Amino acid sequence: MEHFDHSGYEACGRYIRSILCQECSPYSAHLFDAEDANTPMRMLPGLCRDYCSSYWLQCRYTLSLLLEDSGNPQQFANLTATIEEDRKMFCDYLELKDKQYCYPNVLTNTELNANLGLVREDPTGCLELCLQEVANGLRNPVAMIHAEDGTHRFFVAEQLGYVWVYLANGSRIDRPFLNLTHAVLTSPWAGDERGFLCIALHPRFDEVKKAYVYYSVSIKKEERIRVSEFTLLTTDDNQLDHSSERTILEVVEPASNHNGGQLLFGRDGYLYIFIGDGGRAGDPFGKFGNSQNKSTLLGKVLRLDVDNNDDATPYSIPSDNPFLHEKEARPEIYAYGVRNMWRCSIDRGDPTTGRGGGRLFCGDVGQNKFEEVDLIVKGGNYGWRAKEGFSCYDRKLCLNSSLDDILPIFAYPHKLGKSVTGGYIYRGCQMPNLNGLYIFGDFMSGRLMSLKENVASGEWQYREICMGGDQTCRFPKLINSYYKYIISFAEDEAGELYFLATGVASAKARAGVVYKIVDPSRRAAPGKCSFKPAPVKIKGKLVHFYPKEEFKAMETTPAPTTPTGYRTTIMTAAFTRSAQTSIIPTSPTRKHGRPLQYAPITTSKPLTSAQPPPSPSTTSMKRPKVALTSERPAALTTPRPQYWSLKPTTSGYKPQRPPINTTPTKTQEEGLRLGEKLENTGGANQVYKRPRGRSRDSKRGRGGRKLRAGSVRLVTTDGLSDRGRLEIFIRGEWGTVCDDLFTSKAGSVVCRQLGFTTALAVMKRAALGEADRNVRILLDDVECEGGERSLLECKRSRVGKHNCSHGEDVGVICG
């Protein structure tokens, strides 16, 4: 300010002070465009046009001083000399186009500034967060890890057996880090739990250059879990040497479900392996089940030492493993009594105090009543099959005084979700309000949830997470919707938190997306959390990332709320460590039956996407339980918006149709429960055939001409020719098509056959009507390139072969 006299100070001081102080604004990340690693951060905050014009009129010549303050006097000398004289150029340089988020409007918006600095809540107490799309087009992304080597790249594994490398700028290397598709046992069946399930890099990956993978294999028709070690290629830092595979461990799987699937390295440098109980239902193996039997590795947490193993056995046993000297116990066991742990994580600890560092959190999928979150400790018994959550499952075992099991830190009933996906404690830099919050989810219901520890009592308080609506998430590049099937959680090298979800739980459907979790209420100041990635030598090409999702401005419809006190009393007290038995009663269960369908669910601040995930007859891709409640779950704690099966947001098309009633039927509700199918058949897949009755419809087309095989029509109760349930003529009868894997490309083939230009929308889950039971399902798993003359030329299942119901008849809207 020594450049100004008193009058100059009076005229310009307030502008300069305000502009400089925005670096510490709660909205600084947006004002300085610090959200996107692909764009340079602004040197000065984004101003509103009117404010900029006023600033130019009063003290335009201070711009050069402000830019010199930024340490770039030479770089901006010529620029400022020109634009200081031209108001349009001046404000084009400084303006932030969004009128609601530019300065000073952003700080005068009462809605935005309510409870400023706190994580925003909706009226029901649900924490409102936003998302940023990071990667898309993935096939069931099951894991995302980082190398902790300064490069800030991350590695995403697909269930099919591919692992891809993504750089800090969001681009992907076109060559896979690993390709095990030839060895991995999985299938395109929606809900198959087998496949490539996890990858872990050695904690000193920059030195040791080894990776460990966990996947399903078939050896002489015997299904096994395999944990293998790979070494990095000496000629490529982004590719493993496929010939270097060394089997560390193999475990025979009695059934095709409950495969576990977590690998991670603890702070002690040892490799932790989380294996399921062997499958079927209720751990029926032996007198007490696999999980309580310490002579088997099934239903256990293992701990191995894989260092210094090049010239010796694949692994050694850590000297302090708890059962090393117990007769008939496997020395690899670190903890036992687990059912099917799906996604575990190590707490980095509080950034300032280090408190909590090294704690091991896991989500353990329950049987038919409760899901649980556990803190894993050495030698711990986590109760299965004696207990499920806090409740007795096998009453005789449960009452055994020698059980001495460790209770979950939290358990929730199937009213909230039916397949827990374990998460992470947030310890990143960019979202300081989230520090210490354990964020996790549920694969079946699509809920995002959180736990916060009460340090004094040791109890964990539950808070649901919603997607922010209205203005909350209307920042650049932020969205407020996601695909409902939450497969996994992850953190990057800087500690920021992500989750991986899909709209189609099939290993071959490119419907998977990686989302970054964002707190819109408070960010760290620009520069505080910045990092410079170490250079990465690239061989091959880079595939640049283009986001597809957009913010949803959705109208919502209220749903019945839960009883008074449910959130505060039950969720914070009944399911904490102090609880010993089941608090919330569940409806009677049935243990056998056809796997049914579970409809997509959203919340008032959309919990899940309002766009159509290409939803098949999806069965839970992972962790299902066998016994299901015999009635539809009670209303969730948050309202449901309109059905999310309209055109994706990349198009402005919105069909003018009356709202569709999408309340899930009992049949639809349970369809994602692959475990039901696997457990009831002893682990085998089977096709459920429809009655073979002939259609009563005509076998001739317009004008009486004979129909060709592959002819199609759209059937609608409204009599509209451009939309309806899709039917196809094959072998002398009209039948319907199941929506498994059916995309807009297949829809375009149909529409061109009918004389239209393209498909405006492909409607899933019989959104445009369900066929009569006498109409057979003739085609399933239809995948088209888009240029075929009919669906019969597309890749598909054999005619009449399917595993779906009429609740999944595909609908098409042409234009």
Side-chain angles (χ1 to χ4, degrees), residues 629-634 640 663-666 669:
T629 53
S630 61
E631 58 186 55
R632 189 162 56 87
R640 302 179 185 182
T663 302
T665 63
K666 186 167 129 183
E669 177 193 330

Side-chain angles (χ1 to χ4, degrees), residues 364-426:
D364 196 7
V365 178
Q367 178 68 35
N368 57 6
K369 289 185 180 180
F370 296 101
E371 307 296 306
E372 66 182 69
V373 177
D374 295 300
L375 264 175
I376 306 300
V377 298
K378 183 168 68 175
N381 179 3
Y382 289 86
W384 177 251
R385 75 182 184 201
K387 286 185 180 177
E388 178 189 7
F390 298 108
S391 174
C392 286
Y393 178 79
D394 183 325
R395 192 161 296 278
K396 185 176 179 180
L397 282 178
C398 186
L399 298 176
N400 189 325
S401 59
S402 65
L403 183 63
D404 192 27
D405 61 321
I406 296 174
L407 295 175
I409 62 170
F410 177 73
Y412 62 92
H414 282 184
K415 293 179 180 180
L416 294 185
K418 298 180 179 179
S419 187
V420 66
T421 301
Y424 282 78
I425 291 229
Y426 180 82

Side-chain angles (χ1 to χ4, degrees), residues 491-524:
E491 63 179 5
D492 63 18
E493 193 167 346
E496 301 306 320
L497 193 56
Y498 303 75
F499 70 92
L500 292 65
T502 184
V504 181
S506 165
K508 292 193 176 181
R510 294 184 179 275
V513 181
V514 178
Y515 301 97
K516 180 180 179 181
I517 294 174
V518 177
D519 174 16
S521 64
R522 181 185 169 200
R523 312 291 181 82

Side-chain angles (χ1 to χ4, degrees), residues 350 353 355-356 359 427 435-436 452-461 577:
D350 185 272
T353 66
R355 185 188 178 280
R359 293 183 297 180
R427 300 297 190 186
N435 183 40
K452 183 77 171 181
E453 184 181 17
N454 182 322
V455 178
S457 66
E459 295 182 351
W460 294 78
Q461 182 181 12
R577 186 183 297 274

Side-chain angles (χ1 to χ4, degrees), residues 738-755:
C738 185
D739 67 21
D740 290 6
L741 309 183
F742 199 95
T743 67
S744 58
K745 288 184 178 179
S748 295
V749 173
V750 170
C751 291
R752 283 199 307 274
Q753 275 184 267
L754 297 173

Side-chain angles (χ1 to χ4, degrees), residues 190-209:
D192 194 340
E193 294 184 40
R194 303 164 302 176
F196 189 100
L197 300 179
C198 202
I199 180 170
L201 302 181
H202 194 281
R204 302 191 312 278
F205 184 67
D206 54 340
E207 302 172 13
V208 178
K209 300 186 185 303

